[in-house]
Amino acid sequence: MEKSFSESYKAAGVDITAGYEAVQLMKQHVARTMTAGALGGLGGFGGLFELDLEEFKKPVLVSGTDGVGTKLKIAFMIDKHDTVGIDCVAMCVNDVICCGAKPLFFLDYIACGKNVPEKIAAIVSGVAEGCVQSGAALIGGETAEMPGFYPANEYDLAGFTVGAVSKEKIFDNTKMQEGDAIIALPSSGVHSNGFSLVRRIFDLENKGLDLYSAELGRTLGEALLEPTRIYVKPVLALAEQVTVRAVSHITGGGFYENIPRCLPEGFAAKIEKAAVKTPPIFALMQKIGNVPERDMFNTFNMGVGMCVVVPKADANKAVEILRANGQEAYVMGEAVKGEGVALC
């Protein structure tokens, strides 16, 4: 029986045998993510997942899709590719948890100029790690070799997730009250937004990433490539014990764009600026780039990757539950009548 191989396609820049090798290398990583609902394995035309109707009463499916963006440029420059997959998963699953949904499965899409199997497997190892952290099964994906479209040493990475939540458990912000506590869940750094500005501030294409920074305690490249934190499991644990009014994933647009997205009409977020614990990387960017504070809070997460709104009486309990589930947390503000975000 003849195996699949095309000399003509290879001469055009696409080596299909490299794709097969990449699949073999990534299988060990994918195996780590398998959950009870995942059916079948890699290689089919569709990923199969069986929904547990005992766990979800009147299930509502929640989907999310996103990519890593120009943070990938940092990975290219450092030639380190085993963490950006975590970012890809995080940007999707952190969105669906804002509804109270548990991520069920994930699919990735990698488009590259040249399929180097070891590099593709390294990327997928990060995707698998993100899936393990969020409890999602990696049930499929696609690697597209596109010579002439992407440079040989570059790629793009995007993903898609589907989660589920019982209809009565969807977070309901319509019951929000004045004085409800806004709890900050710290970020691990810049996460995966604002990197066009990051690259301009540090002039990375000309100055590089190798310089050690005493302020950061590591090289600039290491600090910027730090993967996005995944908040799924702590937030799900919190929702089991406390009424969660709303959740916001702080991504591109920072505080001013993202926090209002979880607030009902007529409510605003009053944030105590002094309470916000901002990592040194943001102060360094503001100083070097001479970026106004307003723009910093309207571009970056400023050390807060997610915020959760709970009743004022439950604030301390919520912080304790989050910390018990491995997630540092603190109160940074409250819901008030009004519109938008006020940093006080």
Side-chain angles (χ1 to χ4, degrees):
M1 184 179 294
E2 292 189 26
K3 293 185 177 180
S4 175
F5 176 75
S6 171
E7 191 66 51
S8 298
Y9 208 8
K10 185 176 181 179
V14 178
D15 185 356
I16 56 179
T17 59
Y20 304 147
E21 183 180 347
V23 170
Q24 292 304 313
L25 290 175
M26 68 177 68
K27 280 185 175 180
Q28 60 177 316
H29 304 298
V30 174
R32 297 177 55 219
T33 74
M34 291 298 100
T35 60
L39 306 177
L42 294 184
F45 289 97
L48 305 178
F49 193 92
E50 183 178 12
L51 184 62
D52 184 356
L53 296 179
E54 292 296 319
E55 180 179 2
F56 302 103
K57 311 300 181 185
K58 292 187 178 180
V60 175
L61 300 181
V62 183
S63 60
T65 186
D66 209 338
V68 181
T70 57
K71 182 175 184 174
L72 290 175
K73 289 284 190 181
I74 312 300
F76 303 157
M77 295 175 72
I78 297 177
D79 195 24
K80 180 175 171 56
H81 309 282
D82 60 351
T83 62
V84 289
I86 301 175
D87 292 289
C88 186
V89 175
M91 298 307 293
C92 298
V93 298
N94 283 346
D95 276 354
V96 302
I97 192 60
C98 291
C99 300
K102 174 184 177 182
L104 300 176
F105 57 83
F106 189 86
L107 292 91
D108 60 11
Y109 175 79
I110 305 168
C112 58
K114 181 176 176 57
N115 187 332
V116 179
E118 293 78 12
K119 181 185 287 188
I120 299 299
I123 296 168
V124 174
S125 74
V127 175
E129 174 59 28
C131 287
V132 169
Q133 289 183 24
S134 63
L138 180 55
I139 63 171
E142 171 70 9
T143 301
E145 191 172 15
M146 301 167 66
F149 195 90
Y150 292 95
N153 64 337
E154 294 191 2
Y155 55 85
D156 197 8
L157 174 61
F160 170 82
T161 192
V162 170
V165 58
S166 297
K167 191 171 184 179
E168 72 274 10
K169 291 186 177 181
I170 297 173
F171 298 151
D172 182 8
N173 68 2
T174 63
K175 295 181 173 59
M176 194 171 293
Q177 299 179 11
E178 276 196 280
D180 281 352
I182 301 176
I183 297 174
L185 279 57
S187 68
S188 55
V190 185
H191 281 184
S192 195
N193 296 102
F195 272 84
S196 294
L197 179 54
V198 170
R199 288 164 48 232
R200 186 187 67 77
I201 288 172
F202 291 117
D203 191 16
L204 296 182
E205 277 70 19
N206 294 312
K207 295 183 178 178
L209 293 155
D210 296 333
L211 187 65
Y212 179 85
S213 169
E215 293 167 276
L216 304 177
R218 50 184 168 171
T219 67
L220 179 59
E222 290 170 336
L224 292 178
L225 204 58
E226 182 72 33
T228 304
R229 183 164 288 160
I230 292 175
Y231 301 99
V232 170
K233 292 180 180 179
V235 172
L236 286 175
L238 177 66
E240 289 295 317
Q241 301 180 63
V242 169
T243 297
V244 175
R245 304 274 203 221
V247 176
S248 181
H249 183 198
I250 312 301
T251 55
F255 279 39
Y256 287 104
E257 181 176 321
N258 291 288
I259 296 179
R261 292 170 66 183
C262 78
L263 302 175
E265 186 175 352
F267 277 85
K270 179 182 177 183
I271 306 298
E272 299 294 335
K273 190 167 59 175
V276 179
K277 300 175 182 179
T278 304
I281 184 68
F282 296 103
L284 186 63
M285 287 194 294
Q286 185 173 3
K287 180 177 68 174
I288 292 176
N290 193 29
V291 182
E293 182 181 74
R294 177 65 166 72
D295 289 355
M296 292 294 295
F297 277 94
N298 210 158
T299 305
F300 303 111
N301 66 62
M302 297 303 284
V304 181
M306 182 164 281
C307 69
V308 179
V309 184
V310 301
K312 182 177 181 179
D314 291 334
N316 291 336
K317 181 181 178 181
V319 169
E320 290 173 3
I321 293 169
L322 289 164
R323 289 175 176 172
N325 283 274
Q327 175 60 59
E328 180 54 40
Y330 60 90
V331 176
M332 70 171 182
E334 62 179 347
V336 296
K337 293 289 187 177
E339 183 179 347
V341 174
L343 287 173
C344 305

